[in-house]
Amino acid sequence: MSSSFQKLLSLNLSEDLRKIFANIGWLFADRILRMGVGLFISVWVARYLGVAQFGLFSYATAFVALFSTLSTLGLPSIVVRLLTHEPEKREQILGTTFLLQLFGGIVTFLLAVITVFVFHQGDRLTLSLVTVLVSAEIFRAFETIDLWFKSQVQAKYTVLSKNLAFLTISIVKVVLINLQAPLLVFAVATLLETFVGVVGLIIAYKIQGYSLWLWRWSFSLAKKLLKESWPLILSSLSIMIYVKIDQIMLREIIGAQAVGLYSSATRISEVWYFIPTAIVSSVTPSIYADKKNALESLYYRRIEQLLRNILRLNILIVLPVSFLSEKLMVTLFGGEYATAGVILSIHIWAIFFVSMGVVTSPWFVAEGLSHLSFRRSLMGAATNILLNALLIPSLSGVGAAIATVVSYAWAGFFFNGVDSKTRKIFKVQLRAIFPLNRS
């Protein structure tokens, strides 16, 4: 892995790249900690709750996730780019973003609660779970601070803040298991994790010499942000649909137990998604800078090399997990979850196409093609819904896993080859998969 990243380093031996790799180091430390402790706690909770209750909790989490994209209003990537280009306007950008996302969080809360009430009027537990979990979206407005740290390639402050919250609530969950607490209390603990993490971000921002009281609202900037972000809102909503709709449809078609089996398998496969996310979030500012400075050759070369390195890492993950899937599920979750092994062996392959989507996302923003990003996400979501409707009734969670891999492949890769405006990035993806010798 180190030799692969040395190739990327050779693109530009600068202080900015040293910051990028330091940033990646912090993000990897964060995700490795969450992989270890988080997976351990998640497995323990799943064992304690049992397949049916764990499935209900997963369903409520997925239900909230469908609405959560409204809380950020598609702003994060746009705001990071804006802060990278105009850091001197920090207070105005952050203040405007915060109020927009606070409004988004309130709208998200109301929509989620009203919708679950309409569809599950007689199910008080599901209504309570959704209400508690979606409350976190209001507090997420304060994660605007994280966008500043991202623009400055300073992930360590976010990592420290959120990991303090994560470790604290992990201990709380262990205590809850030993006290044999009911399911709803675990939802409250999840809400508290968001709250504690936000407090940590505020403290970190203040320690750096900044003040939230200096943030200010700009109506003109708000209009500008929303004009650019609305395609990303729709795109994020589409992404969340094809990421979470499988669990929603499994509950409605088969039942909570099917969701429990499926969710346990996806916990193993999705935990690896941190690899492309951590790396790309650190490299994104430099990609934007290359585009701004008209460094076209370096711009595309950086994306290609980045994607190639990530795909190589994916192979090291997918092959062992796929072959040892059933043993992994039984060892971690217990015999009750054994049948989820087949689901895991299929679902793990989605990481290749997730990586392609994550790596190419900054390109869509930099090229002003956010509307196409939405289109590919929408088509991916439609594909997933259709395949889930066809496959879940007969194959249950296995069908949902197949639908996920196929829809991710379409949205993250094949779509780019269909549209003439995205064929350039499609060729970059092809070169990353099938590297050609260059003179």
Side-chain angles (χ1 to χ4, degrees):
M1 182 173 70
S2 60
S3 62
S4 297
F5 281 116
Q6 284 173 0
K7 294 178 182 178
L8 182 59
L9 266 174
S10 66
L11 295 177
N12 186 7
L13 294 175
S14 64
E15 180 62 29
D16 286 342
L17 274 179
R18 284 192 286 272
K19 285 175 65 178
I20 286 172
F21 282 96
N23 201 63
I24 290 174
W26 276 98
L27 290 172
F28 262 81
D30 169 50
R31 299 312 301 177
I32 289 171
L33 175 65
R34 287 176 179 269
M35 278 176 61
V37 178
L39 187 59
F40 174 75
I41 296 298
S42 178
V43 166
W44 200 349
V45 170
R47 280 177 171 266
Y48 166 70
L49 293 176
V51 175
Q53 280 210 316
F54 181 64
L56 183 57
F57 184 80
S58 298
Y59 169 80
T61 303
F63 190 92
V64 169
L66 288 180
F67 295 88
S68 65
T69 53
L70 296 176
S71 64
T72 62
L73 297 175
L75 294 174
S77 59
I78 296 171
V79 172
V80 169
R81 186 196 65 201
L82 199 59
L83 288 168
T84 302
H85 293 169
E86 301 177 282
E88 69 280 1
K89 296 182 180 179
R90 179 183 64 248
E91 282 80 13
Q92 184 185 78
I93 295 171
L94 294 178
T96 303
T97 303
F98 169 76
L99 288 176
L100 285 174
Q101 292 192 153
L102 181 62
F103 172 76
I106 294 171
V107 170
T108 298
F109 176 84
L110 293 174
L111 283 177
V113 172
I114 291 171
T115 304
V116 75
F117 178 78
V118 170
F119 287 98
H120 295 278
Q121 290 185 36
D123 191 344
R124 290 187 177 182
L125 180 55
T126 299
L127 177 60
S128 299
L129 285 171
V130 169
T131 301
V132 171
L133 291 172
V134 79
S135 299
E137 300 306 316
I138 298 175
F139 295 113
R140 290 192 196 282
F142 287 95
E143 292 186 357
T144 299
I145 296 169
D146 179 42
L147 303 181
W148 169 251
F149 289 141
K150 282 181 178 177
S151 72
Q152 301 304 297
V153 199
Q154 295 178 334
K156 62 181 179 181
Y157 301 112
T158 300
V159 170
L160 290 172
S161 302
K162 292 194 173 183
N163 272 313
L164 175 63
F166 169 69
L167 291 173
T168 301
I169 301 305
S170 292
I171 294 171
V172 169
K173 287 180 179 177
V174 172
V175 173
L176 292 177
I177 291 171
N178 283 282
L179 291 176
Q180 297 187 322
L183 175 58
L184 186 60
V185 179
F186 287 90
V188 174
T190 302
L191 171 62
L192 286 175
E193 182 178 342
T194 301
F195 178 76
V196 175
V198 160
V199 171
L201 278 175
I202 294 172
I203 294 172
Y205 190 71
K206 186 175 182 181
I207 289 175
Q208 288 302 299
Y210 307 123
S211 173
L212 272 65
W213 298 110
L214 296 177
W215 288 3
R216 60 184 187 275
W217 166 262
S218 169
F219 184 73
S220 60
L221 178 59
K223 287 199 302 182
K224 177 183 175 182
L225 289 173
L226 290 176
K227 183 178 180 180
E228 187 175 356
S229 72
W230 72 264
L232 293 177
I233 298 174
L234 297 176
S235 176
S236 297
L237 179 59
S238 300
I239 291 171
M240 199 53 67
I241 288 173
Y242 75 77
V243 168
K244 297 297 183 181
I245 197 65
D246 41 17
Q247 296 180 48
I248 304 294
M249 294 181 73
L250 273 171
R251 162 74 191 278
E252 302 302 333
I253 297 173
I254 305 296
Q257 187 156 342
V259 182
L261 292 171
Y262 184 80
S263 298
S264 63
T266 59
R267 290 293 172 95
I268 304 296
S269 58
E270 290 177 356
V271 76
W272 300 102
Y273 293 177
F274 85 93
I275 293 177
T277 303
I279 296 174
V280 172
S281 66
S282 296
V283 178
T284 292
S286 63
I287 291 175
Y288 290 153
D290 290 341
K291 178 64 179 178
K292 180 185 177 183
N293 297 326
L295 300 173
E296 197 79 359
S297 176
L298 179 60
Y299 171 62
Y300 281 105
R301 192 177 165 200
R302 191 190 298 274
I303 295 173
E304 180 185 336
Q305 187 66 58
L306 183 63
L307 181 56
R308 183 178 298 128
N309 290 333
I310 291 175
L311 292 179
R312 287 171 179 170
L313 290 176
N314 289 346
I315 292 173
L316 299 178
I317 297 165
V318 168
L319 293 180
V321 172
S322 185
F323 284 114
L324 300 173
S325 57
E326 185 175 344
K327 190 171 183 179
L328 273 172
M329 294 307 302
V330 172
T331 302
L332 293 173
F333 290 89
E336 192 179 6
Y337 292 85
T339 53
V342 180
I343 298 172
L344 175 58
S345 67
I346 297 169
H347 195 277
I348 188 66
W349 290 87
I351 191 173
F352 285 105
F353 305 109
V354 169
S355 297
M356 289 186 181
V358 171
V359 173
T360 57
S361 288
W363 180 84
F364 280 88
V365 175
E367 296 294 321
L369 297 174
S370 299
H371 62 290
L372 293 182
S373 180
F374 160 63
R375 191 184 301 172
R376 71 170 183 170
S377 301
L378 182 62
M379 295 186 74
T383 302
N384 201 9
I385 292 172
L386 177 61
L387 290 176
N388 275 316
L390 292 173
L391 299 176
I392 284 178
S394 57
L395 298 176
S396 190
V398 172
I402 294 171
T404 295
V405 174
V406 173
S407 60
Y408 280 25
W410 170 249
F413 180 54
F414 292 109
F415 172 84
N416 293 334
V418 174
D419 196 300
S420 59
K421 293 180 180 178
T422 56
R423 284 203 190 112
K424 196 164 188 176
I425 197 66
F426 180 68
K427 291 177 182 177
V428 171
Q429 290 177 301
L430 284 176
R431 289 198 301 269
I433 300 171
F434 308 106
L436 302 174
N437 292 326
R438 298 180 182 182
S439 56

